[in-house]
């Protein structure tokens, strides 16, 4: 997936290990991206890592014209970049949805399972 490749490329530039895709986190992120696109309201999920033991979890959410534009915005935002390069995270889930107006919604969920 292009989003995971971009995240892992940025992590590599920071000297961090790559993140593995977690199927459960992927499903959670996709569901949340679809909810954001449906509602049209950009907000964080209260369920990152829900139902699974974890030591740390985080999330980036964004809306824009394309996945590449949103990924670039994440890299140029200190709080979003902090999640991308946080060495504590070991897995990632990605969600991408497009709303009826053509806006793209991206969710990156990060976690370190316990």
């Amino acid at each position: 997936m292009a989003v995971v490749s971009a995240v892992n490329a940025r992590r590599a530039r920071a000297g961090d290990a790559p993140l593995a895709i977690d199927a459960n986190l992927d499903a959670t992120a996709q569901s949340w991206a679809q909810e954001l696109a449906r509602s049209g309201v950009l907000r964080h999920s209260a369920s990152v890592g829900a139902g699974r033991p974890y030591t740390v979890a985080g999330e980036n959410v964004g809306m824009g014209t394309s996945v590449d534009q949103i990924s670039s915005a994440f890299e140029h935002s200190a709080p979003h970049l902090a999640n991308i390069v946080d060495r504590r995270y070991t897995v990632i889930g990605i969600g991408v949805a497009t709303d009826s107006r053509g806006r793209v919604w991206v969710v990156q969920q990060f976690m370190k399972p316990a």
Side-chain angles (χ1 to χ4, degrees):
M1 174 174 264
V3 176
V4 176
S5 296
V7 166
N8 281 333
R10 183 60 183 92
R11 288 177 64 84
R13 289 194 305 275
D16 298 338
L19 298 174
I21 296 171
D22 180 278
N24 292 327
L25 207 53
D26 235 19
T28 302
Q30 183 60 39
S31 177
W32 190 243
Q34 290 169 330
E35 167 57 22
L36 295 177
R38 184 200 62 73
S39 71
V41 179
L42 189 63
R43 62 196 187 282
H44 285 281
S45 170
S47 63
V48 178
R52 297 180 58 202
Y54 62 89
T55 58
V56 64
E59 178 180 64
N60 288 340
V61 295
M63 183 270 297
T65 59
S66 70
V67 170
D68 289 341
Q69 182 260 326
I70 297 164
S71 293
S72 177
F74 286 160
E75 285 195 35
H76 291 91
S77 162
H80 294 97
L81 180 59
N83 276 335
I84 291 169
V85 299
D86 191 321
R87 290 187 168 137
R88 298 174 299 168
Y89 298 134
T90 58
V91 298
I92 189 170
I94 300 295
V96 178
T98 304
D99 67 20
S100 61
R101 295 172 54 191
R103 297 179 300 185
V104 178
W105 301 77
V106 174
V107 175
Q108 300 174 337
Q109 292 184 341
F110 307 90
M111 190 171 71
K112 180 177 182 180

